[in-house]
Amino acid sequence: MLLAEKSWEQGELFPSVTAADKLFTRKLLENYMKNKQMVEAFAQKSTLTEQKQKVYLLRKEEVENIELAFNLIQDPEIKRVIEHRYFKIRRYKETVIFYRGKMSDSTVDRYIDKGVEAIADSLKLWGFLPKK
């Protein structure tokens, strides 16, 4: 089957990102640092229980997909705001304060939203977001 023949919802060539997709992606991003640390810790272990091995593989795939989707963000400003907000263990308030002299609070909000949407778009295209 050719890619052009595959349709998603309402005849779309690629699936569009929904509010639920963005919310799920925000949760993934908020847990990114914790999950990355867990993956790194499990990778250092020579043996893992079956359950830990399952968790390790799931979280490793999650971390890798988030990193790849983040790296695909085209706009460098959006990328910097997302990196500051989610990858440098910053809270929202600290991100807004950090960028306050450089851009308005609403611009920070818009960049965060656009970045989350870009990441969600990649994750959805790759089948990583849950189906409805």
Side-chain angles (χ1 to χ4, degrees), residues 32-125:
Y32 169 81
M33 289 305 298
K34 178 183 77 168
N35 289 333
K36 184 171 177 69
Q37 290 170 339
M38 183 187 332
V39 166
E40 290 171 354
F42 282 179
Q44 300 299 315
K45 295 279 194 181
S46 57
T47 59
L48 294 173
T49 65
E50 186 177 328
Q51 179 63 26
K52 284 181 182 176
Q53 182 69 20
K54 286 179 186 177
V55 171
Y56 169 71
L57 293 174
L58 178 66
R59 295 300 179 233
K60 183 175 186 267
E61 180 183 18
E62 182 179 297
V63 165
E64 288 172 351
N65 280 317
I66 289 170
E67 289 171 349
L68 179 57
F70 168 74
N71 286 321
L72 293 174
I73 295 173
Q74 297 296 304
D75 187 307
E77 281 296 311
I78 292 173
K79 200 169 189 173
R80 275 193 287 275
V81 171
I82 291 294
E83 181 179 32
H84 192 274
R85 169 65 178 94
Y86 293 107
F87 299 131
K88 291 186 176 179
I89 316 177
R90 303 285 188 194
R91 290 187 290 198
Y92 169 77
K93 183 178 178 180
E94 292 169 344
T95 301
V96 170
I97 291 169
F98 180 81
Y99 283 101
R100 190 158 279 154
K102 300 170 188 153
M103 59 184 76
S104 69
D105 295 0
S106 61
T107 300
V108 172
D109 288 341
R110 192 171 55 256
Y111 283 3
I112 289 172
D113 189 61
K114 285 184 177 191
V116 168
E117 184 172 349
I119 292 170
D121 185 56
S122 293
L123 295 177
K124 188 165 191 169
L125 183 63

